[in-house]
PDB file of all heavy atoms in Angstrom:
ATOM      1  N   ARG A 746       9.303  36.157 -43.325  1.00  0.00           N
ATOM      2  CA  ARG A 746      10.388  37.133 -43.427  1.00  0.00           C
ATOM      3  C   ARG A 746      10.614  37.836 -42.081  1.00  0.00           C
ATOM      4  O   ARG A 746      11.753  38.043 -41.648  1.00  0.00           O
ATOM      5  CB  ARG A 746      10.066  38.146 -44.535  1.00  0.00           C
ATOM      6  CG  ARG A 746      10.228  37.589 -45.946  1.00  0.00           C
ATOM      7  CD  ARG A 746      10.184  38.720 -46.962  1.00  0.00           C
ATOM      8  NE  ARG A 746       8.852  39.318 -47.053  1.00  0.00           N
ATOM      9  CZ  ARG A 746       7.905  38.902 -47.878  1.00  0.00           C
ATOM     10  NH1 ARG A 746       8.119  37.899 -48.706  1.00  0.00           N
ATOM     11  NH2 ARG A 746       6.738  39.509 -47.900  1.00  0.00           N
ATOM     12  N   ASP A 747       9.506  38.209 -41.370  1.00  0.00           N
ATOM     13  CA  ASP A 747       9.640  38.883 -40.069  1.00  0.00           C
ATOM     14  C   ASP A 747      10.311  37.968 -39.044  1.00  0.00           C
ATOM     15  O   ASP A 747      11.185  38.409 -38.282  1.00  0.00           O
ATOM     16  CB  ASP A 747       8.256  39.302 -39.551  1.00  0.00           C
ATOM     17  CG  ASP A 747       7.628  40.377 -40.428  1.00  0.00           C
ATOM     18  OD1 ASP A 747       8.387  41.044 -41.178  1.00  0.00           O
ATOM     19  OD2 ASP A 747       6.387  40.536 -40.352  1.00  0.00           O
ATOM     20  N   ALA A 748       9.906  36.697 -39.021  1.00  0.00           N
ATOM     21  CA  ALA A 748      10.505  35.765 -38.074  1.00  0.00           C
ATOM     22  C   ALA A 748      11.981  35.556 -38.371  1.00  0.00           C
ATOM     23  O   ALA A 748      12.815  35.427 -37.462  1.00  0.00           O
ATOM     24  CB  ALA A 748       9.759  34.424 -38.115  1.00  0.00           C
ATOM     25  N   HIS A 749      12.339  35.563 -39.663  1.00  0.00           N
ATOM     26  CA  HIS A 749      13.745  35.397 -40.024  1.00  0.00           C
ATOM     27  C   HIS A 749      14.579  36.571 -39.518  1.00  0.00           C
ATOM     28  O   HIS A 749      15.708  36.396 -39.023  1.00  0.00           O
ATOM     29  CB  HIS A 749      13.869  35.261 -41.549  1.00  0.00           C
ATOM     30  CG  HIS A 749      15.280  35.016 -42.001  1.00  0.00           C
ATOM     31  ND1 HIS A 749      16.030  35.986 -42.632  1.00  0.00           N
ATOM     32  CD2 HIS A 749      16.075  33.913 -41.899  1.00  0.00           C
ATOM     33  CE1 HIS A 749      17.233  35.501 -42.891  1.00  0.00           C
ATOM     34  NE2 HIS A 749      17.289  34.237 -42.465  1.00  0.00           N
ATOM     35  N   ARG A 750      14.014  37.801 -39.621  1.00  0.00           N
ATOM     36  CA  ARG A 750      14.741  38.956 -39.093  1.00  0.00           C
ATOM     37  C   ARG A 750      14.937  38.858 -37.578  1.00  0.00           C
ATOM     38  O   ARG A 750      16.011  39.157 -37.048  1.00  0.00           O
ATOM     39  CB  ARG A 750      13.982  40.253 -39.458  1.00  0.00           C
ATOM     40  CG  ARG A 750      14.177  40.687 -40.887  1.00  0.00           C
ATOM     41  CD  ARG A 750      13.697  42.112 -41.072  1.00  0.00           C
ATOM     42  NE  ARG A 750      12.248  42.225 -40.862  1.00  0.00           N
ATOM     43  CZ  ARG A 750      11.339  42.072 -41.829  1.00  0.00           C
ATOM     44  NH1 ARG A 750      11.738  41.787 -43.069  1.00  0.00           N
ATOM     45  NH2 ARG A 750      10.067  42.194 -41.559  1.00  0.00           N
ATOM     46  N   GLU A 751      13.906  38.402 -36.816  1.00  0.00           N
ATOM     47  CA  GLU A 751      14.025  38.240 -35.370  1.00  0.00           C
ATOM     48  C   GLU A 751      15.074  37.192 -35.024  1.00  0.00           C
ATOM     49  O   GLU A 751      15.867  37.334 -34.088  1.00  0.00           O
ATOM     50  CB  GLU A 751      12.674  37.839 -34.763  1.00  0.00           C
ATOM     51  CG  GLU A 751      11.621  38.920 -34.816  1.00  0.00           C
ATOM     52  CD  GLU A 751      12.019  40.124 -33.977  1.00  0.00           C
ATOM     53  OE1 GLU A 751      12.680  39.941 -32.932  1.00  0.00           O
ATOM     54  OE2 GLU A 751      11.677  41.249 -34.373  1.00  0.00           O
ATOM     55  N   TRP A 752      15.108  36.115 -35.829  1.00  0.00           N
ATOM     56  CA  TRP A 752      16.109  35.057 -35.585  1.00  0.00           C
ATOM     57  C   TRP A 752      17.523  35.582 -35.805  1.00  0.00           C
ATOM     58  O   TRP A 752      18.434  35.294 -35.025  1.00  0.00           O
ATOM     59  CB  TRP A 752      15.808  33.889 -36.513  1.00  0.00           C
ATOM     60  CG  TRP A 752      16.773  32.738 -36.338  1.00  0.00           C
ATOM     61  CD1 TRP A 752      16.744  31.794 -35.390  1.00  0.00           C
ATOM     62  CD2 TRP A 752      17.899  32.452 -37.176  1.00  0.00           C
ATOM     63  NE1 TRP A 752      17.783  30.910 -35.534  1.00  0.00           N
ATOM     64  CE2 TRP A 752      18.527  31.293 -36.642  1.00  0.00           C
ATOM     65  CE3 TRP A 752      18.442  33.044 -38.304  1.00  0.00           C
ATOM     66  CZ2 TRP A 752      19.664  30.734 -37.206  1.00  0.00           C
ATOM     67  CZ3 TRP A 752      19.570  32.483 -38.864  1.00  0.00           C
ATOM     68  CH2 TRP A 752      20.178  31.340 -38.331  1.00  0.00           C
ATOM     69  N   LEU A 753      17.695  36.414 -36.832  1.00  0.00           N
ATOM     70  CA  LEU A 753      19.016  36.987 -37.092  1.00  0.00           C
ATOM     71  C   LEU A 753      19.438  37.914 -35.940  1.00  0.00           C
ATOM     72  O   LEU A 753      20.606  37.927 -35.537  1.00  0.00           O
ATOM     73  CB  LEU A 753      19.000  37.773 -38.417  1.00  0.00           C
ATOM     74  CG  LEU A 753      18.923  36.930 -39.696  1.00  0.00           C
ATOM     75  CD1 LEU A 753      18.815  37.831 -40.922  1.00  0.00           C
ATOM     76  CD2 LEU A 753      20.145  36.017 -39.807  1.00  0.00           C
ATOM     77  N   ARG A 754      18.462  38.676 -35.356  1.00  0.00           N
ATOM     78  CA  ARG A 754      18.790  39.557 -34.236  1.00  0.00           C
ATOM     79  C   ARG A 754      19.276  38.743 -33.030  1.00  0.00           C
ATOM     80  O   ARG A 754      20.252  39.096 -32.355  1.00  0.00           O
ATOM     81  CB  ARG A 754      17.572  40.391 -33.840  1.00  0.00           C
ATOM     82  CG  ARG A 754      17.194  41.456 -34.840  1.00  0.00           C
ATOM     83  CD  ARG A 754      16.171  42.413 -34.228  1.00  0.00           C
ATOM     84  NE  ARG A 754      15.637  43.326 -35.217  1.00  0.00           N
ATOM     85  CZ  ARG A 754      14.469  43.180 -35.835  1.00  0.00           C
ATOM     86  NH1 ARG A 754      13.707  42.134 -35.534  1.00  0.00           N
ATOM     87  NH2 ARG A 754      14.073  44.067 -36.728  1.00  0.00           N
ATOM     88  N   ALA A 755      18.570  37.622 -32.706  1.00  0.00           N
ATOM     89  CA  ALA A 755      18.962  36.788 -31.562  1.00  0.00           C
ATOM     90  C   ALA A 755      20.341  36.184 -31.783  1.00  0.00           C
ATOM     91  O   ALA A 755      21.175  36.144 -30.852  1.00  0.00           O
ATOM     92  CB  ALA A 755      17.918  35.689 -31.337  1.00  0.00           C
ATOM     93  N   GLN A 756      20.622  35.711 -33.010  1.00  0.00           N
ATOM     94  CA  GLN A 756      21.925  35.133 -33.290  1.00  0.00           C
ATOM     95  C   GLN A 756      23.029  36.184 -33.171  1.00  0.00           C
ATOM     96  O   GLN A 756      24.122  35.919 -32.661  1.00  0.00           O
ATOM     97  CB  GLN A 756      21.919  34.521 -34.693  1.00  0.00           C
ATOM     98  CG  GLN A 756      21.061  33.282 -34.827  1.00  0.00           C
ATOM     99  CD  GLN A 756      21.600  32.120 -33.989  1.00  0.00           C
ATOM    100  OE1 GLN A 756      22.792  31.999 -33.755  1.00  0.00           O
ATOM    101  NE2 GLN A 756      20.684  31.293 -33.517  1.00  0.00           N
ATOM    102  N   LEU A 757      22.736  37.410 -33.635  1.00  0.00           N
ATOM    103  CA  LEU A 757      23.712  38.482 -33.533  1.00  0.00           C
ATOM    104  C   LEU A 757      23.982  38.834 -32.069  1.00  0.00           C
ATOM    105  O   LEU A 757      25.124  39.081 -31.678  1.00  0.00           O
ATOM    106  CB  LEU A 757      23.204  39.711 -34.309  1.00  0.00           C
ATOM    107  CG  LEU A 757      24.171  40.915 -34.356  1.00  0.00           C
ATOM    108  CD1 LEU A 757      25.473  40.525 -35.039  1.00  0.00           C
ATOM    109  CD2 LEU A 757      23.515  42.090 -35.079  1.00  0.00           C
ATOM    110  N   ALA A 758      22.926  38.837 -31.239  1.00  0.00           N
ATOM    111  CA  ALA A 758      23.094  39.138 -29.812  1.00  0.00           C
ATOM    112  C   ALA A 758      23.940  38.072 -29.130  1.00  0.00           C
ATOM    113  O   ALA A 758      24.821  38.379 -28.311  1.00  0.00           O
ATOM    114  CB  ALA A 758      21.732  39.243 -29.141  1.00  0.00           C
ATOM    115  N   LEU A 759      23.727  36.797 -29.473  1.00  0.00           N
ATOM    116  CA  LEU A 759      24.529  35.720 -28.874  1.00  0.00           C
ATOM    117  C   LEU A 759      25.990  35.855 -29.290  1.00  0.00           C
ATOM    118  O   LEU A 759      26.914  35.655 -28.483  1.00  0.00           O
ATOM    119  CB  LEU A 759      23.982  34.357 -29.323  1.00  0.00           C
ATOM    120  CG  LEU A 759      22.649  33.927 -28.691  1.00  0.00           C
ATOM    121  CD1 LEU A 759      22.150  32.645 -29.346  1.00  0.00           C
ATOM    122  CD2 LEU A 759      22.824  33.715 -27.193  1.00  0.00           C
ATOM    123  N   TRP A 760      26.206  36.228 -30.567  1.00  0.00           N
ATOM    124  CA  TRP A 760      27.585  36.413 -31.013  1.00  0.00           C
ATOM    125  C   TRP A 760      28.246  37.563 -30.254  1.00  0.00           C
ATOM    126  O   TRP A 760      29.391  37.476 -29.833  1.00  0.00           O
ATOM    127  CB  TRP A 760      27.580  36.687 -32.517  1.00  0.00           C
ATOM    128  CG  TRP A 760      28.958  36.981 -33.060  1.00  0.00           C
ATOM    129  CD1 TRP A 760      29.906  36.099 -33.430  1.00  0.00           C
ATOM    130  CD2 TRP A 760      29.497  38.292 -33.281  1.00  0.00           C
ATOM    131  NE1 TRP A 760      31.034  36.747 -33.864  1.00  0.00           N
ATOM    132  CE2 TRP A 760      30.811  38.117 -33.763  1.00  0.00           C
ATOM    133  CE3 TRP A 760      29.019  39.591 -33.087  1.00  0.00           C
ATOM    134  CZ2 TRP A 760      31.637  39.175 -34.085  1.00  0.00           C
ATOM    135  CZ3 TRP A 760      29.845  40.652 -33.418  1.00  0.00           C
ATOM    136  CH2 TRP A 760      31.140  40.448 -33.904  1.00  0.00           C
ATOM    137  N   ALA A 761      27.504  38.673 -30.025  1.00  0.00           N
ATOM    138  CA  ALA A 761      28.055  39.820 -29.308  1.00  0.00           C
ATOM    139  C   ALA A 761      28.374  39.459 -27.854  1.00  0.00           C
ATOM    140  O   ALA A 761      29.392  39.878 -27.304  1.00  0.00           O
ATOM    141  CB  ALA A 761      27.068  40.990 -29.370  1.00  0.00           C
TER     142      ALA A 761
END
Side-chain angles (χ1 to χ4, degrees):
R746 286 192 291 270
D747 294 340
H749 183 253
R750 282 194 295 271
E751 292 296 326
W752 180 81
L753 288 176
R754 289 192 189 99
Q756 291 295 330
L757 183 61
L759 287 173
W760 176 83

